[in-house]
Amino acid sequence: MKHHSIAATAATAGILPLMLAPLARLDFLYYGVLLFLPLLRLLRAKSASVLLLLGLICAGIGILLNNPLPVFRPWERLGMFALLLGGIGPLFGGKYNEDLSRQLFQNLAVGCLIIGGLSAAGAVIGLSHGTGQFSGLTPHSMILGPIAAIGFLYALHRTMERYTESGKVSILLSIAAVACLISILLASSRSALLATVVGATYLILHLPRGRGLMLLMVGLGCLLLLPFSGELLEGILHKMNSAREAGSIFSSRAELWEDRWQEFTEHPFFGVGFASQRIITFDHSLQSGSIEPGSSYLGSLAMLGLAGTLPLLAVLVHALRRGMQPRYFPPLAACVLIFFCIHMLFEGYLISAGSILCVLLWSCISAALPTHT
């Protein structure tokens, strides 16, 4: 086993406690990853991302200018984000780091597939370890949705890859894809479901051959689930009915979006401070220091301003463009990034280093970028 594969495997083991509720007590391993991996990648670095360094510097300036409330721990959280970019993100370049990034993303995608599939199997016996609608093996249903979505996209990608190479369809991967789709529906995350549909559509449209067969397989999978649609769609339909009664399909996000937009318009250049808020939407934020942006884009603009947000988004867009070029990376990275671009409209984790979704996002960005070129 090559050195970068060993490092990626060790990092995957440290990240898993963020994904699996039964391993939540081992989350300290993730902090070990944030200390070890940046040092390893720094030692192997051939270059550094100027854009990410600029974003981090602007974030620090924003904290100095605004002096956020201590309960939000802005310097501590900025330090964690810097370590995440150094260890998991594309802060450090070089051939070794590129290989490590791709292997880590591959490992995490396989992990998402297994967790999404087993969560669906656990639903049969009523197994749900976390909170929310249905969380399966994950800490919360809002985490299960994206994890199962990445697992579904990975299974779909591998199925297409095998069909393109051999003309055969993997039954096991097809079953795993259906199981992950069940987990997405049971998690009742409308944003995850929408983003999955968009990502899968991109993947199918970029299949060299057999698009019709893949569409037929997806259709058959949906038909198989049709008899259980009542149970699978119950949570999503309940949310949609509640939103309709509230007068808007975005009723659960509208107040958060308005508050973040107001913070941005009042502090457009450097924001209100990293991982901080000036307008306290929910009272519990003042006790716990928790942040609920409601959107990664609006949250980043509010907290970092244009100076800190634009460099991060430039890296995201660059990774998306590179991921769409198969000579750099198979389209799996592109369709997962498309998923994240849609999902981040409704969930805020772009700069939240303590979130598994932030880890998965920056791992995918790093894998899509050819850092040694």
Side-chain angles (χ1 to χ4, degrees):
M1 184 181 289
K2 295 182 178 180
H3 186 273
H4 72 267
S5 296
I6 297 174
T9 301
T12 303
I15 293 170
L16 278 178
L18 296 184
M19 305 171 73
L20 290 166
L23 300 181
R25 292 185 178 181
L26 299 177
D27 60 355
F28 63 88
L29 294 176
Y30 169 61
Y31 300 103
V33 171
L34 288 186
L35 292 175
F36 164 74
L37 216 52
L39 179 60
L40 174 64
R41 295 183 64 142
L42 176 62
L43 294 174
R44 297 296 190 110
K46 301 297 183 183
S47 61
S49 171
V50 176
L51 284 173
L52 291 180
L53 289 173
L54 177 61
L56 291 172
I57 291 171
C58 290
I61 293 174
I63 296 175
L64 292 173
L65 291 176
N66 291 282
N67 192 27
L69 293 175
V71 69
F72 293 120
R73 309 190 310 278
W75 287 112
E76 176 185 334
R77 287 173 168 172
L78 177 59
M80 277 191 63
F81 183 58
L83 290 173
L84 182 143
L85 292 181
I88 297 172
L91 180 58
F92 300 122
K95 180 63 169 60
Y96 176 87
N97 288 333
E98 176 187 352
D99 293 339
L100 174 58
S101 295
R102 293 186 177 183
Q103 186 62 59
L104 178 58
F105 175 63
Q106 177 86 4
N107 293 351
L108 292 175
V110 172
C112 288
L113 175 63
I114 295 172
I115 292 170
L118 291 180
S119 292
V124 178
I125 58 175
L127 179 65
S128 183
H129 283 276
T131 56
Q133 292 287 335
F134 171 76
S135 59
L137 296 175
T138 69
H140 197 281
S141 58
M142 293 298 100
I143 292 177
L144 174 61
I147 284 179
I150 295 172
F152 172 79
L153 293 172
Y154 176 74
L156 195 61
H157 171 263
R158 291 290 294 149
T159 300
M160 294 177 175
E161 192 174 55
R162 288 193 179 185
Y163 177 76
T164 302
E165 294 173 352
S166 64
K168 298 179 180 180
V169 174
S170 171
I171 301 300
L172 182 61
L173 282 171
S174 300
I175 294 173
V178 172
C180 285
L181 181 58
I182 291 173
S183 290
I184 297 170
L185 295 173
L186 290 175
S188 305
S189 173
R190 294 168 293 172
S191 56
L193 180 59
L194 171 64
T196 302
V197 171
V198 177
T201 301
Y202 171 84
L203 195 55
I204 292 174
L205 291 178
H206 285 76
L207 185 66
R209 64 187 181 94
R211 296 176 191 172
L213 178 62
M214 288 300 118
L215 287 172
L216 178 61
M217 288 182 59
V218 173
L220 287 174
C222 293
L223 283 176
L224 289 174
L225 297 179
L226 191 59
F228 312 100
S229 59
E231 293 84 356
L232 295 175
L233 296 175
E234 181 180 1
I236 291 178
L237 292 175
H238 175 72
K239 286 185 175 182
M240 293 179 68
N241 289 332
S242 299
R244 191 178 298 112
E245 291 174 1
S248 170
I249 60 172
F250 303 120
S251 58
S252 63
R253 294 288 184 272
E255 184 179 5
L256 291 169
W257 291 349
E258 291 173 1
D259 290 347
R260 301 295 78 76
W261 180 252
Q262 183 177 339
E263 287 176 336
F264 167 63
T265 55
E266 292 176 356
H267 302 81
F269 298 109
F270 291 99
V272 299
F274 190 89
S276 305
Q277 291 180 337
R278 282 292 178 89
I279 302 174
I280 308 300
T281 310
F282 302 112
D283 292 338
H284 66 77
S285 295
L286 291 176
Q287 281 75 47
S288 64
S290 61
I291 303 292
E292 296 189 42
S295 165
S296 288
Y297 306 113
L298 287 176
S300 182
L301 284 171
M303 292 184 275
L304 304 180
L306 290 171
T309 300
L310 290 180
L312 300 183
L313 293 184
V315 172
L316 172 61
V317 171
H318 182 50
L320 185 59
R321 292 180 59 189
R322 290 284 187 165
M324 290 178 175
Q325 302 173 30
R327 65 179 180 273
Y328 290 114
F329 197 68
L332 173 64
C335 73
V336 174
L337 282 178
I338 289 172
F339 166 85
F340 277 122
C341 287
I342 300 295
H343 192 251
M344 285 194 296
L345 290 169
F346 310 97
E347 300 292 343
Y349 50 84
L350 176 64
I351 58 175
S352 180
S355 167
I356 182 58
L357 300 184
C358 183
V359 173
L360 293 171
L361 166 66
W362 285 101
S363 175
C364 186
I365 290 174
S366 189
L369 288 171
T371 53
H372 70 288
T373 57

